C-alpha cells in the first residue's frame, strides 16, 4: 500500500486540486472577465417610499453587449419632487431587493415620448424619463427580488424612492420579469 502511495503521489495531489478548481474557478473568472452589469456599492439610509416618484419596469431582455451576455431592464421613472430639476440631472438607481440580498445598479436615461404623451397633465419635462440598466446574472443570487427606483437630488442629495409593481425572479439559469406585485 505504501509502495502504491509513493508510486502515485502526483495523482493524489493533482486530483483534489482539480476538484477544488472546478468549484472555485467560475467565480474568479466571472469577477475578472465581466466588465458590465455589476452592481455598485451605494450608501443609502433607510429608504422610505415617496409619492413624488412614479416608475414602471417595462421589460427585461437578454442581450449580447460587447461580447458579454447581459440582461437589459427597460422602464420609465420620473420625480416630481422639484419641478425645476430636469429628470436627467437626478442620479437614478435601480434597486433589486430580496429577503437577504440588496443590489444597486446605475440607470442610464433615454427618451420616452410615449411617457410625455401619457402624462401630459404633469408640468414636467418627461423627455428623458426612460431608463435602462445592464444586469449580469452572475452577480445576482437566485431568488425573488422587488424592483425599486431611487432618485438622488443633485441639489440637496436627498433620496426619493418608489417600488414598482413588478419583481424579478432569478433562477440558476436566467432572470425573468414578473408583472405581478409582491406581497
Amino acid at each position: 500500500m505504501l509502495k502504491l502511495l509513493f508510486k502515485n503521489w502526483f495523482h493524489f495531489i493533482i486530483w483534489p486540486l482539480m476538484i477544488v478548481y472546478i468549484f472555485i474557478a467560475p467565480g474568479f473568472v466571472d469577477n475578472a472577465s465581466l466588465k458590465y452589469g455589476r452592481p455598485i456599492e451605494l450608501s443609502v439610509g433607510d429608504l422610505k417610499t415617496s409619492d413624488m416618484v412614479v416608475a414602471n419596469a417595462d421589460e427585461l431582455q437578454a442581450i449580447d453587449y460587447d461580447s458579454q451576455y447581459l440582461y437589459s431592464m427597460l422602464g420609465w421613472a420620473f420625480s416630481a419632487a422639484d419641478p425645476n430639476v430636469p429628470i436627467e440631472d437626478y442620479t437614478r438607481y435601480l434597486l433589486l431587493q430580496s429577503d437577504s440580498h440588496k443590489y444597486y445598479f446605475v440607470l442610464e436615461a433615454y427618451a420616452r415620448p410615449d411617457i410625455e404623451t401619457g402624462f401630459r397633465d404633469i408640468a414636467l419635462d418627461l423627455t428623458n424619463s426612460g431608463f435602462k440598466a445592464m444586469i449580469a446574472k452572475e452577480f445576482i443570487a437566485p431568488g425573488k427580488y422587488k424592483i425599486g427606483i431611487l432618485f438622488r437630488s443633485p441639489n440637496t442629495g436627498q433620496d426619493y424612492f418608489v417600488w414598482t409593481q413588478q419583481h424579478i425572479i432569478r433562477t440558476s439559469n436566467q432572470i425573468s420579469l414578473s408583472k405581478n406585485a409582491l406581497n
Side-chain angles (χ1 to χ4, degrees):
M1 178 73 162
L2 204 52
K3 186 177 178 181
L4 178 68
L5 183 64
F6 284 123
K7 183 178 177 183
N8 296 310
W9 68 270
F10 183 74
H11 295 280
F12 287 112
I13 293 173
I14 292 299
W15 279 103
L17 289 175
M18 287 182 358
I19 291 170
V20 168
Y21 175 79
I22 288 171
F23 290 106
I24 294 177
F28 287 120
V29 170
D30 287 345
N31 282 328
S33 66
L34 297 177
K35 295 186 277 185
Y36 306 104
R38 290 176 181 264
I40 63 166
E41 292 291 325
L42 187 64
S43 176
V44 177
D46 189 27
L47 289 175
K48 294 180 183 160
T49 304
S50 169
D51 58 355
M52 303 305 270
V53 177
V54 181
N56 188 59
D58 292 334
E59 66 180 281
L60 183 69
Q61 52 186 268
I63 62 168
D64 184 359
Y65 183 78
D66 197 20
S67 300
Q68 187 178 332
Y69 187 72
L70 299 171
Y71 286 85
S72 174
M73 176 172 287
L74 302 172
W76 56 268
F78 60 86
S79 173
D82 187 350
N84 298 322
V85 177
I87 290 174
E88 55 270 9
D89 286 356
Y90 284 96
T91 306
R92 297 187 290 177
Y93 302 98
L94 172 74
L95 167 62
L96 299 180
Q97 182 176 327
S98 70
D99 292 338
S100 56
H101 295 89
K102 191 183 282 191
Y103 303 103
Y104 290 96
F105 297 88
V106 175
L107 293 178
E108 179 183 326
Y110 72 94
R112 286 287 301 258
D114 59 322
I115 302 304
E116 279 188 292
T117 304
F119 290 95
R120 69 183 87 160
D121 303 354
I122 297 177
L124 292 173
D125 178 13
L126 301 178
T127 304
N128 291 317
S129 58
F131 69 75
K132 175 173 47 174
M134 299 293 193
I135 302 170
K137 73 175 169 79
E138 291 80 2
F139 297 112
I140 308 296
K144 187 185 264 188
Y145 292 87
K146 298 189 292 184
I147 301 171
I149 305 295
L150 173 68
F151 279 76
R152 185 160 281 171
S153 172
N155 300 331
T156 64
Q158 184 170 350
D159 293 334
Y160 301 97
F161 178 77
V162 68
W163 292 110
T164 68
Q165 292 297 310
Q166 299 78 19
H167 64 275
I168 280 182
I169 298 172
R170 163 69 162 101
T171 63
S172 58
N173 297 326
Q174 69 178 9
I175 300 175
S176 61
L177 180 66
S178 175
K179 299 290 184 179
N180 300 328
L182 283 176
N183 294 333

PDB file of all heavy atoms in Angstrom, residues 125-159:
ATOM      1  N   ASP A 125     -40.836  68.181 -17.660  1.00  0.00           N
ATOM      2  CA  ASP A 125     -40.246  67.732 -18.912  1.00  0.00           C
ATOM      3  C   ASP A 125     -39.916  66.252 -18.748  1.00  0.00           C
ATOM      4  O   ASP A 125     -38.963  65.889 -18.054  1.00  0.00           O
ATOM      5  CB  ASP A 125     -38.993  68.543 -19.232  1.00  0.00           C
ATOM      6  CG  ASP A 125     -38.319  68.085 -20.513  1.00  0.00           C
ATOM      7  OD1 ASP A 125     -38.948  67.320 -21.288  1.00  0.00           O
ATOM      8  OD2 ASP A 125     -37.168  68.487 -20.743  1.00  0.00           O
ATOM      9  N   LEU A 126     -40.692  65.389 -19.388  1.00  0.00           N
ATOM     10  CA  LEU A 126     -40.534  63.943 -19.239  1.00  0.00           C
ATOM     11  C   LEU A 126     -39.797  63.321 -20.422  1.00  0.00           C
ATOM     12  O   LEU A 126     -39.845  62.108 -20.614  1.00  0.00           O
ATOM     13  CB  LEU A 126     -41.904  63.286 -19.078  1.00  0.00           C
ATOM     14  CG  LEU A 126     -42.739  63.769 -17.896  1.00  0.00           C
ATOM     15  CD1 LEU A 126     -44.088  63.078 -17.876  1.00  0.00           C
ATOM     16  CD2 LEU A 126     -42.001  63.556 -16.599  1.00  0.00           C
ATOM     17  N   THR A 127     -39.102  64.142 -21.191  1.00  0.00           N
ATOM     18  CA  THR A 127     -38.426  63.662 -22.394  1.00  0.00           C
ATOM     19  C   THR A 127     -37.517  62.478 -22.105  1.00  0.00           C
ATOM     20  O   THR A 127     -37.584  61.459 -22.770  1.00  0.00           O
ATOM     21  CB  THR A 127     -37.596  64.794 -23.042  1.00  0.00           C
ATOM     22  OG1 THR A 127     -38.456  65.891 -23.291  1.00  0.00           O
ATOM     23  CG2 THR A 127     -36.948  64.324 -24.326  1.00  0.00           C
ATOM     24  N   ASN A 128     -36.662  62.577 -21.122  1.00  0.00           N
ATOM     25  CA  ASN A 128     -35.705  61.514 -20.805  1.00  0.00           C
ATOM     26  C   ASN A 128     -36.128  60.687 -19.596  1.00  0.00           C
ATOM     27  O   ASN A 128     -35.304  60.319 -18.768  1.00  0.00           O
ATOM     28  CB  ASN A 128     -34.314  62.110 -20.583  1.00  0.00           C
ATOM     29  CG  ASN A 128     -33.729  62.642 -21.861  1.00  0.00           C
ATOM     30  OD1 ASN A 128     -33.821  61.995 -22.904  1.00  0.00           O
ATOM     31  ND2 ASN A 128     -33.154  63.819 -21.808  1.00  0.00           N
ATOM     32  N   SER A 129     -37.402  60.383 -19.508  1.00  0.00           N
ATOM     33  CA  SER A 129     -37.902  59.621 -18.363  1.00  0.00           C
ATOM     34  C   SER A 129     -37.654  58.124 -18.497  1.00  0.00           C
ATOM     35  O   SER A 129     -37.830  57.378 -17.543  1.00  0.00           O
ATOM     36  CB  SER A 129     -39.389  59.885 -18.153  1.00  0.00           C
ATOM     37  OG  SER A 129     -40.104  59.549 -19.323  1.00  0.00           O
ATOM     38  N   GLY A 130     -37.229  57.670 -19.676  1.00  0.00           N
ATOM     39  CA  GLY A 130     -36.916  56.259 -19.846  1.00  0.00           C
ATOM     40  C   GLY A 130     -35.627  55.897 -19.139  1.00  0.00           C
ATOM     41  O   GLY A 130     -34.743  56.725 -18.950  1.00  0.00           O
ATOM     42  N   PHE A 131     -35.524  54.641 -18.725  1.00  0.00           N
ATOM     43  CA  PHE A 131     -34.276  54.178 -18.115  1.00  0.00           C
ATOM     44  C   PHE A 131     -33.898  52.807 -18.648  1.00  0.00           C
ATOM     45  O   PHE A 131     -34.739  52.042 -19.107  1.00  0.00           O
ATOM     46  CB  PHE A 131     -34.324  54.172 -16.587  1.00  0.00           C
ATOM     47  CG  PHE A 131     -35.236  53.149 -15.977  1.00  0.00           C
ATOM     48  CD1 PHE A 131     -34.887  51.803 -15.933  1.00  0.00           C
ATOM     49  CD2 PHE A 131     -36.435  53.528 -15.413  1.00  0.00           C
ATOM     50  CE1 PHE A 131     -35.717  50.853 -15.352  1.00  0.00           C
ATOM     51  CE2 PHE A 131     -37.279  52.590 -14.831  1.00  0.00           C
ATOM     52  CZ  PHE A 131     -36.918  51.255 -14.798  1.00  0.00           C
ATOM     53  N   LYS A 132     -32.598  52.544 -18.576  1.00  0.00           N
ATOM     54  CA  LYS A 132     -32.047  51.258 -18.963  1.00  0.00           C
ATOM     55  C   LYS A 132     -30.984  50.889 -17.939  1.00  0.00           C
ATOM     56  O   LYS A 132     -30.182  51.725 -17.545  1.00  0.00           O
ATOM     57  CB  LYS A 132     -31.432  51.353 -20.352  1.00  0.00           C
ATOM     58  CG  LYS A 132     -30.729  50.108 -20.802  1.00  0.00           C
ATOM     59  CD  LYS A 132     -30.265  50.130 -22.249  1.00  0.00           C
ATOM     60  CE  LYS A 132     -29.554  51.371 -22.640  1.00  0.00           C
ATOM     61  NZ  LYS A 132     -28.989  51.337 -23.991  1.00  0.00           N
ATOM     62  N   ALA A 133     -31.007  49.637 -17.511  1.00  0.00           N
ATOM     63  CA  ALA A 133     -29.980  49.120 -16.597  1.00  0.00           C
ATOM     64  C   ALA A 133     -29.440  47.811 -17.153  1.00  0.00           C
ATOM     65  O   ALA A 133     -30.206  46.977 -17.637  1.00  0.00           O
ATOM     66  CB  ALA A 133     -30.562  48.887 -15.208  1.00  0.00           C
ATOM     67  N   MET A 134     -28.135  47.656 -17.108  1.00  0.00           N
ATOM     68  CA  MET A 134     -27.491  46.411 -17.524  1.00  0.00           C
ATOM     69  C   MET A 134     -27.257  45.550 -16.298  1.00  0.00           C
ATOM     70  O   MET A 134     -26.692  46.027 -15.299  1.00  0.00           O
ATOM     71  CB  MET A 134     -26.151  46.687 -18.200  1.00  0.00           C
ATOM     72  CG  MET A 134     -26.255  47.517 -19.435  1.00  0.00           C
ATOM     73  SD  MET A 134     -27.122  46.600 -20.696  1.00  0.00           S
ATOM     74  CE  MET A 134     -26.761  47.610 -22.098  1.00  0.00           C
ATOM     75  N   ILE A 135     -27.683  44.288 -16.363  1.00  0.00           N
ATOM     76  CA  ILE A 135     -27.579  43.376 -15.228  1.00  0.00           C
ATOM     77  C   ILE A 135     -26.910  42.086 -15.685  1.00  0.00           C
ATOM     78  O   ILE A 135     -27.377  41.445 -16.630  1.00  0.00           O
ATOM     79  CB  ILE A 135     -28.967  43.051 -14.650  1.00  0.00           C
ATOM     80  CG1 ILE A 135     -29.681  44.335 -14.231  1.00  0.00           C
ATOM     81  CG2 ILE A 135     -28.859  42.073 -13.498  1.00  0.00           C
ATOM     82  CD1 ILE A 135     -31.142  44.142 -13.882  1.00  0.00           C
ATOM     83  N   ALA A 136     -25.831  41.720 -15.028  1.00  0.00           N
ATOM     84  CA  ALA A 136     -25.183  40.425 -15.267  1.00  0.00           C
ATOM     85  C   ALA A 136     -25.705  39.449 -14.220  1.00  0.00           C
ATOM     86  O   ALA A 136     -25.548  39.675 -13.021  1.00  0.00           O
ATOM     87  CB  ALA A 136     -23.667  40.554 -15.180  1.00  0.00           C
ATOM     88  N   LYS A 137     -26.330  38.378 -14.681  1.00  0.00           N
ATOM     89  CA  LYS A 137     -26.943  37.432 -13.743  1.00  0.00           C
ATOM     90  C   LYS A 137     -25.932  36.773 -12.810  1.00  0.00           C
ATOM     91  O   LYS A 137     -26.279  36.340 -11.723  1.00  0.00           O
ATOM     92  CB  LYS A 137     -27.760  36.386 -14.484  1.00  0.00           C
ATOM     93  CG  LYS A 137     -26.962  35.354 -15.227  1.00  0.00           C
ATOM     94  CD  LYS A 137     -27.890  34.303 -15.820  1.00  0.00           C
ATOM     95  CE  LYS A 137     -27.222  33.398 -16.764  1.00  0.00           C
ATOM     96  NZ  LYS A 137     -26.454  32.356 -16.360  1.00  0.00           N
ATOM     97  N   GLU A 138     -24.682  36.742 -13.229  1.00  0.00           N
ATOM     98  CA  GLU A 138     -23.645  36.106 -12.406  1.00  0.00           C
ATOM     99  C   GLU A 138     -23.451  36.799 -11.062  1.00  0.00           C
ATOM    100  O   GLU A 138     -22.939  36.203 -10.121  1.00  0.00           O
ATOM    101  CB  GLU A 138     -22.306  36.093 -13.158  1.00  0.00           C
ATOM    102  CG  GLU A 138     -22.267  35.185 -14.355  1.00  0.00           C
ATOM    103  CD  GLU A 138     -22.909  35.780 -15.612  1.00  0.00           C
ATOM    104  OE1 GLU A 138     -23.359  36.938 -15.586  1.00  0.00           O
ATOM    105  OE2 GLU A 138     -22.975  35.070 -16.621  1.00  0.00           O
ATOM    106  N   PHE A 139     -23.862  38.070 -10.961  1.00  0.00           N
ATOM    107  CA  PHE A 139     -23.673  38.817  -9.717  1.00  0.00           C
ATOM    108  C   PHE A 139     -24.922  38.848  -8.843  1.00  0.00           C
ATOM    109  O   PHE A 139     -24.911  39.465  -7.782  1.00  0.00           O
ATOM    110  CB  PHE A 139     -23.233  40.250 -10.032  1.00  0.00           C
ATOM    111  CG  PHE A 139     -21.912  40.320 -10.727  1.00  0.00           C
ATOM    112  CD1 PHE A 139     -21.827  40.739 -12.035  1.00  0.00           C
ATOM    113  CD2 PHE A 139     -20.749  39.939 -10.084  1.00  0.00           C
ATOM    114  CE1 PHE A 139     -20.606  40.805 -12.689  1.00  0.00           C
ATOM    115  CE2 PHE A 139     -19.520  39.991 -10.725  1.00  0.00           C
ATOM    116  CZ  PHE A 139     -19.458  40.421 -12.033  1.00  0.00           C
ATOM    117  N   ILE A 140     -25.989  38.194  -9.286  1.00  0.00           N
ATOM    118  CA  ILE A 140     -27.252  38.189  -8.543  1.00  0.00           C
ATOM    119  C   ILE A 140     -27.506  36.776  -8.014  1.00  0.00           C
ATOM    120  O   ILE A 140     -27.520  35.820  -8.783  1.00  0.00           O
ATOM    121  CB  ILE A 140     -28.441  38.596  -9.459  1.00  0.00           C
ATOM    122  CG1 ILE A 140     -28.160  39.899 -10.181  1.00  0.00           C
ATOM    123  CG2 ILE A 140     -29.742  38.645  -8.682  1.00  0.00           C
ATOM    124  CD1 ILE A 140     -28.024  41.089  -9.286  1.00  0.00           C
ATOM    125  N   ALA A 141     -27.720  36.670  -6.722  1.00  0.00           N
ATOM    126  CA  ALA A 141     -28.021  35.370  -6.121  1.00  0.00           C
ATOM    127  C   ALA A 141     -29.438  34.942  -6.518  1.00  0.00           C
ATOM    128  O   ALA A 141     -30.319  35.783  -6.689  1.00  0.00           O
ATOM    129  CB  ALA A 141     -27.908  35.459  -4.598  1.00  0.00           C
ATOM    130  N   PRO A 142     -29.679  33.641  -6.687  1.00  0.00           N
ATOM    131  CA  PRO A 142     -31.032  33.182  -7.012  1.00  0.00           C
ATOM    132  C   PRO A 142     -32.033  33.622  -5.956  1.00  0.00           C
ATOM    133  O   PRO A 142     -31.731  33.672  -4.760  1.00  0.00           O
ATOM    134  CB  PRO A 142     -30.886  31.661  -7.035  1.00  0.00           C
ATOM    135  CG  PRO A 142     -29.447  31.436  -7.386  1.00  0.00           C
ATOM    136  CD  PRO A 142     -28.703  32.546  -6.688  1.00  0.00           C
ATOM    137  N   GLY A 143     -33.228  33.976  -6.418  1.00  0.00           N
ATOM    138  CA  GLY A 143     -34.285  34.395  -5.512  1.00  0.00           C
ATOM    139  C   GLY A 143     -35.288  35.295  -6.200  1.00  0.00           C
ATOM    140  O   GLY A 143     -35.228  35.537  -7.405  1.00  0.00           O
ATOM    141  N   LYS A 144     -36.218  35.810  -5.411  1.00  0.00           N
ATOM    142  CA  LYS A 144     -37.264  36.715  -5.886  1.00  0.00           C
ATOM    143  C   LYS A 144     -36.944  38.112  -5.362  1.00  0.00           C
ATOM    144  O   LYS A 144     -36.726  38.301  -4.168  1.00  0.00           O
ATOM    145  CB  LYS A 144     -38.613  36.256  -5.357  1.00  0.00           C
ATOM    146  CG  LYS A 144     -39.791  37.020  -5.913  1.00  0.00           C
ATOM    147  CD  LYS A 144     -41.084  36.585  -5.247  1.00  0.00           C
ATOM    148  CE  LYS A 144     -41.751  35.539  -6.102  1.00  0.00           C
ATOM    149  NZ  LYS A 144     -43.111  35.224  -5.591  1.00  0.00           N
ATOM    150  N   TYR A 145     -36.925  39.100  -6.280  1.00  0.00           N
ATOM    151  CA  TYR A 145     -36.491  40.454  -5.947  1.00  0.00           C
ATOM    152  C   TYR A 145     -37.563  41.489  -6.273  1.00  0.00           C
ATOM    153  O   TYR A 145     -38.096  41.499  -7.377  1.00  0.00           O
ATOM    154  CB  TYR A 145     -35.219  40.824  -6.743  1.00  0.00           C
ATOM    155  CG  TYR A 145     -34.017  40.027  -6.334  1.00  0.00           C
ATOM    156  CD1 TYR A 145     -33.745  38.798  -6.909  1.00  0.00           C
ATOM    157  CD2 TYR A 145     -33.151  40.505  -5.362  1.00  0.00           C
ATOM    158  CE1 TYR A 145     -32.638  38.059  -6.527  1.00  0.00           C
ATOM    159  CE2 TYR A 145     -32.043  39.781  -4.974  1.00  0.00           C
ATOM    160  CZ  TYR A 145     -31.797  38.551  -5.561  1.00  0.00           C
ATOM    161  OH  TYR A 145     -30.707  37.831  -5.174  1.00  0.00           O
ATOM    162  N   LYS A 146     -37.818  42.369  -5.310  1.00  0.00           N
ATOM    163  CA  LYS A 146     -38.633  43.546  -5.577  1.00  0.00           C
ATOM    164  C   LYS A 146     -37.784  44.525  -6.375  1.00  0.00           C
ATOM    165  O   LYS A 146     -36.565  44.549  -6.234  1.00  0.00           O
ATOM    166  CB  LYS A 146     -39.090  44.217  -4.280  1.00  0.00           C
ATOM    167  CG  LYS A 146     -39.968  43.344  -3.428  1.00  0.00           C
ATOM    168  CD  LYS A 146     -40.577  44.102  -2.266  1.00  0.00           C
ATOM    169  CE  LYS A 146     -39.536  44.502  -1.251  1.00  0.00           C
ATOM    170  NZ  LYS A 146     -40.098  45.153  -0.073  1.00  0.00           N
ATOM    171  N   ILE A 147     -38.435  45.338  -7.207  1.00  0.00           N
ATOM    172  CA  ILE A 147     -37.729  46.321  -8.026  1.00  0.00           C
ATOM    173  C   ILE A 147     -38.076  47.707  -7.513  1.00  0.00           C
ATOM    174  O   ILE A 147     -39.249  48.074  -7.441  1.00  0.00           O
ATOM    175  CB  ILE A 147     -38.134  46.206  -9.508  1.00  0.00           C
ATOM    176  CG1 ILE A 147     -37.822  44.808 -10.032  1.00  0.00           C
ATOM    177  CG2 ILE A 147     -37.431  47.277 -10.339  1.00  0.00           C
ATOM    178  CD1 ILE A 147     -38.395  44.536 -11.411  1.00  0.00           C
ATOM    179  N   GLY A 148     -37.061  48.478  -7.192  1.00  0.00           N
ATOM    180  CA  GLY A 148     -37.255  49.849  -6.735  1.00  0.00           C
ATOM    181  C   GLY A 148     -36.442  50.814  -7.576  1.00  0.00           C
ATOM    182  O   GLY A 148     -35.425  50.436  -8.162  1.00  0.00           O
ATOM    183  N   ILE A 149     -36.904  52.058  -7.622  1.00  0.00           N
ATOM    184  CA  ILE A 149     -36.198  53.121  -8.330  1.00  0.00           C
ATOM    185  C   ILE A 149     -35.887  54.223  -7.324  1.00  0.00           C
ATOM    186  O   ILE A 149     -36.772  54.684  -6.604  1.00  0.00           O
ATOM    187  CB  ILE A 149     -37.029  53.704  -9.493  1.00  0.00           C
ATOM    188  CG1 ILE A 149     -37.469  52.592 -10.446  1.00  0.00           C
ATOM    189  CG2 ILE A 149     -36.260  54.795 -10.212  1.00  0.00           C
ATOM    190  CD1 ILE A 149     -36.349  51.894 -11.166  1.00  0.00           C
ATOM    191  N   LEU A 150     -34.619  54.632  -7.300  1.00  0.00           N
ATOM    192  CA  LEU A 150     -34.145  55.648  -6.381  1.00  0.00           C
ATOM    193  C   LEU A 150     -33.667  56.862  -7.169  1.00  0.00           C
ATOM    194  O   LEU A 150     -32.870  56.722  -8.091  1.00  0.00           O
ATOM    195  CB  LEU A 150     -32.992  55.087  -5.539  1.00  0.00           C
ATOM    196  CG  LEU A 150     -32.248  56.046  -4.622  1.00  0.00           C
ATOM    197  CD1 LEU A 150     -33.151  56.494  -3.483  1.00  0.00           C
ATOM    198  CD2 LEU A 150     -30.999  55.386  -4.072  1.00  0.00           C
ATOM    199  N   PHE A 151     -34.184  58.040  -6.820  1.00  0.00           N
ATOM    200  CA  PHE A 151     -33.734  59.307  -7.384  1.00  0.00           C
ATOM    201  C   PHE A 151     -32.927  60.023  -6.320  1.00  0.00           C
ATOM    202  O   PHE A 151     -33.394  60.176  -5.185  1.00  0.00           O
ATOM    203  CB  PHE A 151     -34.933  60.200  -7.744  1.00  0.00           C
ATOM    204  CG  PHE A 151     -35.579  59.887  -9.050  1.00  0.00           C
ATOM    205  CD1 PHE A 151     -36.410  58.793  -9.191  1.00  0.00           C
ATOM    206  CD2 PHE A 151     -35.373  60.707 -10.144  1.00  0.00           C
ATOM    207  CE1 PHE A 151     -37.018  58.516 -10.395  1.00  0.00           C
ATOM    208  CE2 PHE A 151     -35.977  60.446 -11.355  1.00  0.00           C
ATOM    209  CZ  PHE A 151     -36.800  59.347 -11.485  1.00  0.00           C
ATOM    210  N   ARG A 152     -31.740  60.483  -6.664  1.00  0.00           N
ATOM    211  CA  ARG A 152     -30.922  61.268  -5.743  1.00  0.00           C
ATOM    212  C   ARG A 152     -30.829  62.679  -6.307  1.00  0.00           C
ATOM    213  O   ARG A 152     -30.355  62.889  -7.414  1.00  0.00           O
ATOM    214  CB  ARG A 152     -29.543  60.650  -5.576  1.00  0.00           C
ATOM    215  CG  ARG A 152     -28.711  61.371  -4.524  1.00  0.00           C
ATOM    216  CD  ARG A 152     -27.585  60.533  -4.012  1.00  0.00           C
ATOM    217  NE  ARG A 152     -28.095  59.565  -3.033  1.00  0.00           N
ATOM    218  CZ  ARG A 152     -27.368  58.579  -2.545  1.00  0.00           C
ATOM    219  NH1 ARG A 152     -26.131  58.401  -2.922  1.00  0.00           N
ATOM    220  NH2 ARG A 152     -27.883  57.744  -1.667  1.00  0.00           N
ATOM    221  N   SER A 153     -31.286  63.651  -5.515  1.00  0.00           N
ATOM    222  CA  SER A 153     -31.327  65.047  -5.953  1.00  0.00           C
ATOM    223  C   SER A 153     -29.924  65.613  -6.114  1.00  0.00           C
ATOM    224  O   SER A 153     -29.081  65.445  -5.227  1.00  0.00           O
ATOM    225  CB  SER A 153     -32.097  65.891  -4.938  1.00  0.00           C
ATOM    226  OG  SER A 153     -31.998  67.260  -5.256  1.00  0.00           O
ATOM    227  N   PRO A 154     -29.670  66.322  -7.243  1.00  0.00           N
ATOM    228  CA  PRO A 154     -28.339  66.907  -7.437  1.00  0.00           C
ATOM    229  C   PRO A 154     -28.094  68.110  -6.528  1.00  0.00           C
ATOM    230  O   PRO A 154     -26.951  68.424  -6.208  1.00  0.00           O
ATOM    231  CB  PRO A 154     -28.355  67.335  -8.904  1.00  0.00           C
ATOM    232  CG  PRO A 154     -29.793  67.587  -9.197  1.00  0.00           C
ATOM    233  CD  PRO A 154     -30.562  66.611  -8.364  1.00  0.00           C
ATOM    234  N   ASN A 155     -29.170  68.779  -6.095  1.00  0.00           N
ATOM    235  CA  ASN A 155     -29.030  69.981  -5.267  1.00  0.00           C
ATOM    236  C   ASN A 155     -28.874  69.664  -3.787  1.00  0.00           C
ATOM    237  O   ASN A 155     -28.011  70.210  -3.111  1.00  0.00           O
ATOM    238  CB  ASN A 155     -30.235  70.901  -5.456  1.00  0.00           C
ATOM    239  CG  ASN A 155     -30.380  71.340  -6.910  1.00  0.00           C
ATOM    240  OD1 ASN A 155     -29.403  71.429  -7.641  1.00  0.00           O
ATOM    241  ND2 ASN A 155     -31.607  71.590  -7.318  1.00  0.00           N
ATOM    242  N   THR A 156     -29.702  68.767  -3.297  1.00  0.00           N
ATOM    243  CA  THR A 156     -29.730  68.508  -1.855  1.00  0.00           C
ATOM    244  C   THR A 156     -29.134  67.167  -1.462  1.00  0.00           C
ATOM    245  O   THR A 156     -28.835  66.939  -0.293  1.00  0.00           O
ATOM    246  CB  THR A 156     -31.184  68.549  -1.341  1.00  0.00           C
ATOM    247  OG1 THR A 156     -31.911  67.475  -1.965  1.00  0.00           O
ATOM    248  CG2 THR A 156     -31.847  69.881  -1.648  1.00  0.00           C
ATOM    249  N   GLY A 157     -29.008  66.254  -2.419  1.00  0.00           N
ATOM    250  CA  GLY A 157     -28.535  64.908  -2.101  1.00  0.00           C
ATOM    251  C   GLY A 157     -29.618  64.047  -1.485  1.00  0.00           C
ATOM    252  O   GLY A 157     -29.366  62.901  -1.112  1.00  0.00           O
ATOM    253  N   GLN A 158     -30.828  64.577  -1.377  1.00  0.00           N
ATOM    254  CA  GLN A 158     -31.938  63.836  -0.780  1.00  0.00           C
ATOM    255  C   GLN A 158     -32.379  62.721  -1.723  1.00  0.00           C
ATOM    256  O   GLN A 158     -32.341  62.862  -2.944  1.00  0.00           O
ATOM    257  CB  GLN A 158     -33.120  64.767  -0.492  1.00  0.00           C
ATOM    258  CG  GLN A 158     -34.255  64.058   0.205  1.00  0.00           C
ATOM    259  CD  GLN A 158     -35.315  65.036   0.691  1.00  0.00           C
ATOM    260  OE1 GLN A 158     -35.121  66.237   0.668  1.00  0.00           O
ATOM    261  NE2 GLN A 158     -36.439  64.501   1.116  1.00  0.00           N
ATOM    262  N   ASP A 159     -32.800  61.596  -1.146  1.00  0.00           N
ATOM    263  CA  ASP A 159     -33.248  60.444  -1.912  1.00  0.00           C
ATOM    264  C   ASP A 159     -34.771  60.405  -1.978  1.00  0.00           C
ATOM    265  O   ASP A 159     -35.449  60.641  -0.972  1.00  0.00           O
ATOM    266  CB  ASP A 159     -32.749  59.145  -1.273  1.00  0.00           C
ATOM    267  CG  ASP A 159     -31.251  58.997  -1.356  1.00  0.00           C
ATOM    268  OD1 ASP A 159     -30.645  59.586  -2.288  1.00  0.00           O
ATOM    269  OD2 ASP A 159     -30.673  58.289  -0.516  1.00  0.00           O
TER     270      ASP A 159
END
